[in-house]
Amino acid sequence: QVQLVESGGGLVLAGGSLRLSCAASGRTFSSYSMGWFRQAPGQEREFVASINWGGGSTYYADSVKGRFTISRDNAKNTVYLQVNSLKPEDTAVYYCAASALYYGSRWSGYDTWGQGTQVTVSS
């Protein structure tokens, strides 16, 4: 099983960009599909994007299509989320998650989670 650590969050003005990273421990990272989710205060955890084990297939929430890009580097055991054209409504804690069996938008399909990284977008 992998362990996940996110980084790259911060405070940014609307319209700005960040690159979030999720570093995984373990030698089996390349066998896991990966997802990014976010949770704003008082709201449910929301799917953002996912990528299959090889990186050849990606899936996005409608709210982030065209602005966010998920990618992975299996040689570095890392998955990335490039977030562009940020809006105040993108403010949330962003979590990465891993699944050996599932690649999709349901948070319950993922069995390993990181601790999250805060993204705050000011207007």
Side-chain angles (χ1 to χ4, degrees):
Q1 191 169 1
V2 296
Q3 292 183 323
L4 306 173
V5 178
E6 301 95 333
S7 61
L11 173 64
V12 63
L13 293 174
S17 298
L18 290 170
R19 189 173 82 156
L20 308 184
S21 299
C22 174
S25 63
R27 290 177 286 181
T28 59
F29 173 73
S30 60
S31 65
Y32 287 84
S33 293
M34 301 296 295
W36 283 96
F37 291 76
R38 66 186 182 186
Q39 188 167 19
Q43 298 189 21
E44 294 185 353
R45 193 164 296 191
E46 174 188 26
F47 170 75
V48 175
S50 61
I51 189 167
N52 72 337
W53 64 272
S57 184
T58 57
Y59 180 38
Y60 295 93
D62 288 343
S63 59
V64 306
K65 278 182 183 176
R67 300 190 298 124
F68 291 10
T69 302
I70 189 171
S71 61
R72 67 189 297 162
D73 185 338
N74 285 343
K76 295 183 178 180
N77 280 13
T78 303
V79 63
Y80 304 98
L81 186 70
Q82 179 68 40
V83 296
N84 298 329
S85 302
L86 282 163
K87 305 175 182 179
E89 52 263 43
D90 294 318
T91 295
V93 178
Y94 283 70
Y95 299 90
C96 69
S99 175
L101 300 174
Y102 177 73
Y103 157 65
S105 62
R106 288 185 292 110
W107 66 265
S108 59
Y110 295 83
D111 46 30
T112 302
W113 293 82
Q115 85 289 349
T117 186
Q118 176 72 47
V119 172
T120 303
V121 185
S122 64
S123 58

